[in-house]
Amino acid sequence: MDINTKQLRKNAFRVTKNRGMTALRIRVPGGNLEVKYFDVIKKVAENFGNGRVHITTRQGFEVPGIPMEKIPEVNRMIAPILDGIETAVGVEIPDLNSGYPAAGTRNVSACIGNSVCPFANLNSGEVALKIEKLIYPNDYHVKIAVTGCPNDCIKAHMQDIGIIGMALPVYDSYRCIGCGACVKNCRRVATGALSISNYKVKRDHRRCIGCGECILKCPTSAWTREDKYYRLVIMGRTGKKNPRIAQTFLEWVAEEAVMKVIANMYQYIDNHIDRSLPKEHVGYIVDRTGYPVFRQEVLLGVDLGQLGRVAESINFGGYFYERTNIFG
Amino acid sequence: MGFEFTMDSFNKVLEDISKNFIFYAPRRIPGKGAFSDTDVVVYQEVEGFGQIELDEKSRFSPKEVINPITQTLFYFNENGYTEPETNNKGIIIFCRPCDANSFKRLDEIFLNNGPFKDSYYESLRRKVKIFVIECVQGFENCFCVSMGTNRFDDYDAFIRVAEDRITCDVKDNLLPAFVKHGISAEMRPDFISENAVKVAIPDQVNKTIFTHEMWREYSERCIACGRCTVVCPTCTCFTMQDIFYEDNHKCGERRRVWASCMIDGFTEVAGGHDFRPDKGMRMRFKAMHKIYDFRKRFGYNMCVGCGRCDDVCPEYISFSNCINKVSALSREVNG
Ligand code: SF4
Ligand code: SF4
Ligand code: SF4
Ligand code: SF4
Ligand code: SF4
């Protein structure tokens, strides 16, 4: 059998431990899927795979047990998925019958967001689709996730780029009855950014993380939301070398700024990636260039707006598996 | 007298009378709902009829117009005090029949419930004219028919909106503006005669109900958030706050601000004693006030059946269902 494994991988198939067998990865940007596509996935699994799917942590489907020679047929079968999910949001797919054009940049995952979740400060799935349009297809290895609030149900802190929805609470002191619900709750579940003075509430903006809890708790709508804002956490990862959670890079920025930073990051990768390696995750590139270079390049032409702030320095920390330290 | 208008000609009426009146009506405020990407409907000033939200019940009631959430009663310094100046324009409130009936309840509490009239309330209330918007179907959780508040005859104008036409019955000295811009038409107000939710009000409430274990359920379910009372058109409790300005402690103001019998601290007194620490007890107090205690004093029920308390409870506690439970128990006890 003569298979170009590089092309196979780029086509969103996998080289598996069973020789000659592959597995297909289906993207579900935002983790939000119309159930009609289950029929297509089912058909692929039953006709070409082993009748099972693996639900991935990135909210995609992996269909295992596919003989490599069936790849062209599988690709034709999934054309409706590519068309309905990818081209529908503006992703350019060169040939709908040839399967996925790239696999490096992973599925953009998202929490359920404000279509269901009361805590959500945004429609996470919709933002994920906008990002999908912006970055796919792309071979660079990047993981992005969108989460509606700092509860971070999608684990944006384990991504290269984690996008967290923020609400700017605006206060109408006339409507406040001084019940204290927002103050107690902010202290209990968030950051203690609120205090009572003269029976009315004060918000310390430097402590506030824009979770929006105060807005949800207020019985009289004294707290309401203004425009949507975003926090960006960067370079979280798992992996063998140095697992770590992402650190805050930007806060209180608008959606356009987020999109521009992401687009710039691909240029940054292009500028600095070590082409002698088969692949290099963006986090390791940042480890090499240092944060200041990353910051400078991804912020090119970015409007941070009035409230936006940038981390002056970041200590990514994380964890090195030093056996000698642990076991002596 | 009856009149018919197009939207445009009705707006001309409003324009004419806006010289002497401010209009308040339910208004949809985009993006200001508690959840992201949702709206809130609240009583606010409007300029034209088009700004009035007709398709959704307002979350908050029109009581805000004459019973402000925060109201400065006077400002003080070392030498004396001054009351804030008031606007002398009249107030026209566009509201549904249940809410129109709620003002009578507010009047009892603020004007007829003791030796003194509440002058702050009275000065606003005096200026109010009520333009009732006809209800054809009612909304979710409404039970005005059970409360007898589906009807309201004491309106200044009664407004029917159907297919871009507005018909009005007008009783007031504002007539010239209506005559000038409208066409005279037959108009007999209609009131809805049935709600999906029906509530039985107990005639007699046996004392055993007050200590009945039915209230215990609410001790566990209610989170004491107070939403049910701040949206209620007939809740009137307030607290007093003396404020000393932060950068000059010799000046300040006295305010009154809404309070809620459902929220912690309402029945706490000096020394820390709390008369109703338990949420079930608070629910009992509120429910009985709405359908029994007020009636004992004024001869009719306080609750106007707007259903807002049911609309907003985050714990899905239904006040109407609670009243029906009280009624069923009363029937059992009274035989
Ligand atoms: S991250 Fe926030 S918005 Fe998203 S599902 Fe979790 S709680 Fe809801
Ligand atoms: S948004 Fe969150 S952190 Fe900010 S004040 Fe409100 S509850 Fe506190
Ligand atoms: S929850 Fe609302 S009413 Fe209560 S103290 Fe906070 S802002 Fe004021
Ligand atoms: S108790 Fe409930 S239904 Fe009755 S008037 Fe108040 S909010 Fe409306
Ligand atoms: S709205 Fe519901 S939970 Fe809140 S105080 Fe009223 S009954 Fe209790």
Side-chain angles (χ1 to χ4, degrees):
Chain A
M1 202 186 285
D2 183 349
I3 298 276
N4 181 334
T5 56
K6 297 207 169 44
Q7 262 167 28
L8 174 137
R9 287 198 182 95
K10 191 170 152 71
N11 203 193
F13 288 90
R14 203 198 248 280
V15 176
T16 71
K17 67 168 222 194
N18 300 313
R19 201 159 175 84
M21 300 301 269
T22 184
L24 164 71
R25 270 204 307 255
I26 292 167
R27 297 173 81 84
V28 184
N32 191 341
L33 187 69
E34 278 182 78
V35 291
K36 64 181 182 193
Y37 297 117
F38 283 159
D39 294 343
V40 181
I41 298 168
K42 181 169 183 256
K43 228 159 80 186
V44 174
E46 282 179 351
N47 293 6
F48 300 109
N50 60 15
R52 311 183 74 89
V53 293
H54 176 75
I55 299 171
T56 75
T57 59
R58 299 212 62 80
Q59 299 180 322
F61 291 97
E62 184 153 348
V63 191
I66 299 172
M68 285 179 177
E69 68 268 16
K70 296 294 185 193
I71 287 177
E73 280 174 73
V74 169
N75 278 342
R76 278 195 293 280
M77 195 175 265
I78 62 168
I81 294 186
L82 283 155
D83 194 31
I85 297 177
E86 302 295 343
T87 48
V89 299
V91 170
E92 279 175 36
I93 305 285
D95 176 4
L96 282 176
N97 285 313
S98 305
Y100 287 101
T105 289
R106 299 298 203 246
N107 186 45
V108 183
S109 41
C111 76
I112 197 160
N114 76 6
S115 57
V116 172
C117 179
F119 295 109
N121 294 318
L122 51 88
N123 188 324
S124 322
E126 262 174 26
V127 177
L129 289 177
K130 283 186 200 166
I131 296 171
E132 177 78 352
K133 174 179 169 8
L134 180 71
I135 49 131
Y136 189 73
N138 209 306
D139 293 330
Y140 291 138
H141 199 118
V142 173
K143 296 186 177 113
I144 301 179
V146 186
T147 207
C149 83
N151 280 351
D152 193 6
C153 294
I154 199 61
K155 319 253 179 294
H157 279 85
M158 300 310 297
Q159 319 288 322
D160 299 311
I161 297 271
I163 296 153
I164 302 171
M166 299 177 93
L168 179 67
V170 284
Y171 179 63
D172 178 357
S173 79
Y174 162 75
R175 293 197 72 83
C176 172
I177 60 168
C179 70
C182 58
V183 180
K184 268 184 239 150
N185 183 66
C186 181
R187 193 165 54 224
R188 198 170 59 82
V189 306
T191 59
L194 300 177
S195 56
I196 294 243
S197 127
N198 265 343
Y199 304 98
K200 299 287 183 185
V201 181
K202 285 207 167 121
R203 185 179 66 100
D204 179 352
H205 185 67
R206 296 188 71 91
R207 265 169 142 179
C208 172
I209 54 167
C211 64
E213 283 269 356
C214 45
I215 302 164
L216 298 174
K217 284 288 174 295
C218 181
T220 57
S221 299
W223 288 113
T224 55
R225 22 186 105 238
E226 216 155 72
D227 307 336
K228 295 192 176 91
Y229 290 92
Y230 297 80
R231 171 150 68 107
L232 234 63
V233 294
I234 57 164
M235 306 307 146
R237 66 187 172 206
T238 55
K240 297 185 178 92
K241 213 166 152 184
N242 170 222
R244 63 196 191 188
I245 65 165
Q247 299 293 321
T248 297
F249 167 46
L250 301 175
E251 63 169 21
W252 299 113
V253 296
E255 186 180 301
E256 301 78 72
V258 173
M259 297 296 165
K260 184 90 179 124
V261 163
I262 294 172
N264 285 348
M265 184 180 69
Y266 279 87
Q267 186 58 50
Y268 163 84
I269 296 173
D270 204 56
N271 295 346
H272 300 283
I273 194 165
D274 182 347
R275 290 180 209 277
S276 70
L277 302 169
K279 65 177 180 187
E280 193 179 28
H281 293 149
V282 59
Y284 294 102
I285 303 176
V286 176
D287 288 350
R288 280 195 292 104
T289 69
Y291 166 68
V293 173
F294 171 85
R295 179 181 61 194
Q296 192 193 356
E297 293 187 19
V298 301
L299 287 182
L300 275 178
V302 172
D303 178 5
L304 292 172
Q306 282 205 319
L307 292 179
R309 295 203 297 170
V310 188
E312 279 169 19
S313 64
I314 296 181
N315 176 2
F316 284 108
Y319 146 70
F320 290 90
Y321 192 56
E322 296 283 4
R323 263 169 286 207
T324 46
N325 291 350
I326 298 171
F327 300 114
Chain B
M1 266 185 92
F3 298 96
E4 192 180 284
F5 300 92
T6 61
M7 286 290 164
D8 284 345
S9 60
F10 191 75
N11 278 330
K12 292 220 175 74
V13 176
L14 296 186
E15 208 181 301
D16 278 9
I17 54 184
S18 70
K19 289 178 197 86
N20 302 314
F21 287 92
I22 302 173
F23 310 117
Y24 287 92
R27 195 166 175 181
R28 173 179 298 275
I29 314 295
K32 290 291 183 182
F35 304 132
S36 60
D37 296 333
T38 63
D39 308 336
V40 68
V41 179
V42 51
Y43 273 78
Q44 277 194 2
E45 233 182 287
V46 293
E47 274 149 25
F49 197 78
Q51 288 173 337
I52 301 178
E53 173 62 43
L54 296 170
D55 299 333
E56 192 181 319
K57 194 197 297 178
S58 67
R59 180 180 179 95
F60 297 97
S61 83
K63 76 174 170 187
E64 297 179 27
V65 178
I66 52 171
N67 174 29
I69 303 175
T70 301
Q71 187 174 24
T72 299
L73 303 185
F74 54 82
Y75 303 97
F76 56 80
N77 58 27
E78 297 126 294
N79 307 318
Y81 67 91
T82 37
E83 286 190 14
E85 279 182 18
T86 49
N87 181 323
N88 53 18
K89 269 195 170 179
I91 294 169
I92 289 173
I93 300 178
F94 290 83
C95 62
R96 305 280 174 172
C98 60
D99 288 340
N101 277 298
S102 73
F103 297 115
K104 189 172 160 202
R105 278 86 178 150
L106 300 184
D107 292 350
E108 303 289 15
I109 297 292
F110 284 112
L111 305 175
N112 306 330
N113 194 25
F116 304 109
K117 291 186 188 313
D118 185 307
S119 61
Y120 293 96
Y121 174 83
E122 196 185 21
S123 71
L124 282 166
R125 177 67 175 97
R126 233 188 356 232
K127 304 197 289 184
V128 171
K129 293 193 185 303
I130 297 173
F131 282 23
V132 169
I133 303 172
E134 182 179 56
C135 274
V136 185
Q137 290 185 317
F139 300 97
E140 202 185 336
N141 294 326
C142 292
F143 57 98
C144 56
V145 176
S146 304
M147 301 313 295
T149 49
N150 52 325
R151 259 199 106 79
F152 183 77
D153 297 313
D154 205 15
Y155 52 81
D156 297 287
F158 185 96
I159 297 171
R160 173 177 299 147
V161 190
E163 291 154 25
D164 289 348
R165 300 229 138 245
I166 297 175
T167 21
C168 296
D169 182 41
V170 187
K171 287 190 184 167
D172 191 71
N173 56 2
L174 299 165
L175 270 173
F178 287 83
V179 177
K180 185 170 155 202
H181 299 289
I183 308 164
S184 118
E186 266 298 294
M187 162 63 159
R188 217 161 25 88
D190 267 334
F191 301 99
I192 60 169
S193 53
E194 201 179 358
N195 307 117
V197 176
K198 294 176 180 60
V199 171
I201 303 293
D203 290 335
Q204 294 293 318
V205 176
N206 191 290
K207 279 224 166 63
T208 55
I209 303 273
F210 287 84
T211 49
H212 197 275
E213 64 171 33
M214 73 161 276
W215 303 107
R216 229 183 275 159
E217 177 192 342
Y218 301 107
S219 313
E220 275 155 33
R221 290 177 62 194
C222 173
I223 58 167
C225 69
R227 279 171 178 73
C228 52
T229 60
V230 296
V231 300
C232 176
T234 64
C235 276
T236 54
C237 287
F238 59 80
T239 182
M240 286 298 192
Q241 300 173 349
D242 282 346
I243 308 302
F244 300 88
Y245 296 141
E246 272 173 21
D247 29 7
N248 183 351
H249 288 253
K250 290 183 175 156
C251 310
E253 62 185 79
R254 172 166 292 179
R255 298 176 191 145
R256 73 163 157 209
V257 177
W258 288 2
S260 162
C261 60
M262 299 301 282
I263 292 177
D264 287 350
F266 186 80
T267 54
E268 225 174 273
V269 291
H273 179 66
D274 193 346
F275 289 97
R276 282 190 301 275
D278 176 67
K279 299 180 201 71
M281 289 160 78
R282 296 178 193 171
M283 185 70 178
R284 183 209 70 219
F285 172 83
K286 181 190 76 173
M288 288 311 196
H289 191 206
K290 297 289 174 198
I291 59 142
Y292 181 65
D293 297 313
F294 182 96
R295 169 157 49 110
K296 269 201 310 195
R297 185 164 171 76
F298 298 108
Y300 59 95
N301 284 308
M302 187 182 205
C303 170
V304 294
C306 70
R308 286 191 180 88
C309 46
D310 284 20
D311 298 341
V312 301
C313 178
E315 301 303 316
Y316 283 75
I317 290 171
S318 164
F319 178 73
S320 52
N321 192 35
C322 170
I323 302 309
N324 281 334
K325 281 197 237 171
V326 173
S327 292
L329 274 174
S330 301
R331 277 195 298 275
E332 239 172 65
V333 178
N334 297 331

